[in-house]
Amino acid sequence: MIPYGKQLISEDDIQAVIAVLQSDWLTQGPTVEQFESTVAAYCGVKYAVAVSNATAALHLACLSLGLSPGDWLWTSPNTFVASANCARYCGADVDFVDIDARSYNLSLSELRRKLEVAQRNKRLPKVVVPVHFAGQSCEMEPLRELAEHYGFSVLEDASHAIGGSYRAQKIGACTFSDMAVFSFHPVKIVTTGEGGMILTNRSDLYQKLIELRSHGITRSPERMGEPSPAPWYYEQLELGFNYRLTDMQAALGKSQMHNIDTFIERRREIFARYNAQLQGLPVTLPWQHPDTDSALHLYVIRLHRAALQRSQREIFEALRARGIGVQIHYIPVHLQPYYQKLGFQAGDFPEAEAYYQEALSLPIFPALTEEQQDVVIRALREVLS
């Protein structure tokens, strides 16, 4: 089976993890801070906070922004459920903004329309979470202008997008947002096994994230309500969580960051080869916004169903039967039973639903060989013929 995504682990990566295993620190040691500094420097952002996974990152980011019951978070329906669930963890309400027909990211025109209605109804969002689907940045500068006009915070779900750029700045620089979140799951651009990270330029958010990551506890004299009475003293300032990343994971992530540009370049080669070889088939190839340089986490085609003899499911199953690990990204979040219990239903976000009925993700990862890619292309041609 050729999977749609897969990690690439080098001998240097393995030795970096072994070095930590042979050290005095397996967790809460110096390697986590080194990994954070490496990612922050790469992205050109002031602060980075490593956590156990990207879902934890989204949760802590929402908490640090003060999201709470009575508030609204808006995000894209074309994403993994965590982009919306993070609001529910805080007791807040969720709504969605339909997607753009070409980028499959949150639609700016639909966001503007929805904000105008929400302002009249006094139900403006406190937080908007643009999702950089497949590694391509949303249109962040106009989104930031809307945030300033309507008074909401911007939290980038950049789980797909480390290594990508928007207007010549690395995704994660937080030039047009309050925070950004990365994922280091094995199918992502770089991996720590499981892991995530929150980036920000705001010192107030950074301080809050550091404390929330570890039970809401501080040992900093500046943060305590009274002078420390003893060397062992600490204070729990609020209800936090154990969302820490281990030094073993951080060592893997730090080592992987040495190869991130190589990983991205290989993805570009695979992406360009698909674009050249799939011309003429009854599919829509991925579109790239001129302001973006995608991390190319996914290669998603849209099937021209009217021109095909087979359904999406039949094509999916036929490719799987040939050993091609295609996938669908994503079932629109509002169609999940949990969200339908909250009042959402089919037809609410027609562009996302139309996309879902035609989408198919093809394998793309740095270790994919040209021979394997040829197998994918031949299989797709056969199944679509």
Side-chain angles (χ1 to χ4, degrees), residues 71 86 167 230 234:
D71 293 330
C86 57
R167 296 191 176 176
Y234 58 85

Side-chain angles (χ1 to χ4, degrees), residues 243-308:
Y243 280 168
R244 297 187 296 256
L245 191 75
T246 69
D247 279 53
M248 295 171 286
Q249 292 169 297
L252 176 56
K254 180 186 172 188
S255 180
Q256 288 257 299
M257 285 298 295
H258 294 311
N259 292 314
I260 185 170
D261 291 334
T262 302
F263 293 161
I264 297 289
E265 183 55 38
R266 178 60 188 141
R267 287 175 178 274
R268 288 196 185 106
E269 292 170 357
I270 296 166
F271 193 93
R273 201 158 180 267
Y274 273 139
N275 282 350
Q277 296 292 322
L278 300 182
Q279 295 289 333
L281 293 181
V283 299
T284 298
L285 303 181
W287 176 81
Q288 300 295 294
H289 193 287
D291 287 342
T292 68
D293 187 3
S294 177
L296 304 176
H297 166 54
L298 300 173
Y299 188 93
V300 183
I301 60 174
R302 289 183 71 166
L303 304 170
H304 296 175
R305 292 190 300 161
L308 295 167

Side-chain angles (χ1 to χ4, degrees), residues 116-137:
E116 291 171 1
V117 174
Q119 187 173 52
R120 290 196 298 270
N121 295 333
K122 297 183 179 179
R123 286 180 53 176
L124 284 167
K126 185 166 188 173
V127 178
V128 170
V129 179
V131 179
H132 301 327
F133 178 73
Q136 179 173 204
S137 176

Side-chain angles (χ1 to χ4, degrees), residues 17-317:
V17 176
I18 290 173
V20 168
L21 289 170
Q22 294 173 333
S23 76
D24 294 331
W25 297 92
L26 297 187
T27 190
Q28 294 181 269
T31 312
V32 172
E33 289 188 5
Q34 293 167 10
F35 179 40
E36 291 169 339
S37 297
T38 298
V39 174
Y42 179 83
C43 294
V45 71
K46 288 183 180 178
Y47 307 107
V49 179
V51 292
S52 53
N53 52 65
T55 301
L58 288 164
H59 184 195
L60 294 190
C62 287
L63 287 173
S64 70
L65 291 169
L67 195 70
S68 60
D71 293 330
W72 285 87
L73 178 146
W74 292 2
T75 190
S76 168
N78 182 35
T79 185
F80 186 59
V81 293
S83 307
N85 289 352
C86 57
R88 302 298 296 156
Y89 300 153
C90 300
D93 293 305
V94 175
D95 203 353
F96 300 96
V97 180
D98 211 349
I99 64 171
D100 177 79
R102 292 190 296 174
S103 69
Y104 318 138
N105 280 332
L106 182 148
S107 165
L108 262 293
S109 60
E110 182 60 19
L111 177 61
R112 289 189 187 96
R113 184 200 66 78
K114 194 163 184 129
L115 285 167
E116 291 171 1
V117 174
Q119 187 173 52
R120 290 196 298 270
N121 295 333
K122 297 183 179 179
R123 286 180 53 176
L124 284 167
K126 185 166 188 173
V127 178
V128 170
V129 179
V131 179
H132 301 327
F133 178 73
Q136 179 173 204
S137 176
C138 294
E139 298 174 64
M140 292 304 300
E141 187 168 12
L143 197 155
R144 186 64 192 184
E145 291 169 357
L146 290 171
E148 291 171 353
H149 180 77
Y150 287 100
F152 59 81
S153 297
V154 178
L155 167 58
E156 299 175 71
D157 186 343
S159 295
H160 293 184
I162 189 170
S165 301
Y166 172 74
R167 296 191 176 176
Q169 294 187 67
K170 287 295 184 187
I171 294 170
C174 297
T175 303
F176 304 108
S177 68
D178 297 278
M179 284 179 284
V181 165
F182 289 144
S183 170
F184 303 122
H185 184 276
V187 298
K188 300 302 197 308
I189 309 301
V190 298
T191 187
T192 59
E194 286 280 4
M197 191 170 286
I198 314 150
L199 297 93
T200 185
N201 289 310
R202 288 177 51 181
S203 60
D204 60 325
L205 294 177
Y206 173 69
Q207 186 62 56
K208 204 165 188 66
L209 291 166
I210 289 291
E211 291 168 5
L212 287 169
R213 173 177 68 178
S214 191
H215 302 284
I217 286 174
T218 186
R219 297 180 184 271
S220 172
E222 296 81 10
R223 295 283 294 161
M224 292 181 185
E226 58 184 55
S228 175
W232 61 82
Y233 186 73
Y234 58 85
E235 289 184 353
Q236 182 185 344
L237 302 181
E238 54 190 307
L239 186 63
F241 302 84
N242 183 351
Y243 280 168
R244 297 187 296 256
L245 191 75
T246 69
D247 279 53
M248 295 171 286
Q249 292 169 297
L252 176 56
K254 180 186 172 188
S255 180
Q256 288 257 299
M257 285 298 295
H258 294 311
N259 292 314
I260 185 170
D261 291 334
T262 302
F263 293 161
I264 297 289
E265 183 55 38
R266 178 60 188 141
R267 287 175 178 274
R268 288 196 185 106
E269 292 170 357
I270 296 166
F271 193 93
R273 201 158 180 267
Y274 273 139
N275 282 350
Q277 296 292 322
L278 300 182
Q279 295 289 333
L281 293 181
V283 299
T284 298
L285 303 181
W287 176 81
Q288 300 295 294
H289 193 287
D291 287 342
T292 68
D293 187 3
S294 177
L296 304 176
H297 166 54
L298 300 173
Y299 188 93
V300 183
I301 60 174
R302 289 183 71 166
L303 304 170
H304 296 175
R305 292 190 300 161
L308 295 167
Q309 300 299 313
R310 291 177 167 181
S311 68
Q312 180 194 42
R313 177 173 176 171
E314 289 170 333
I315 291 167
F316 180 96
E317 291 178 341

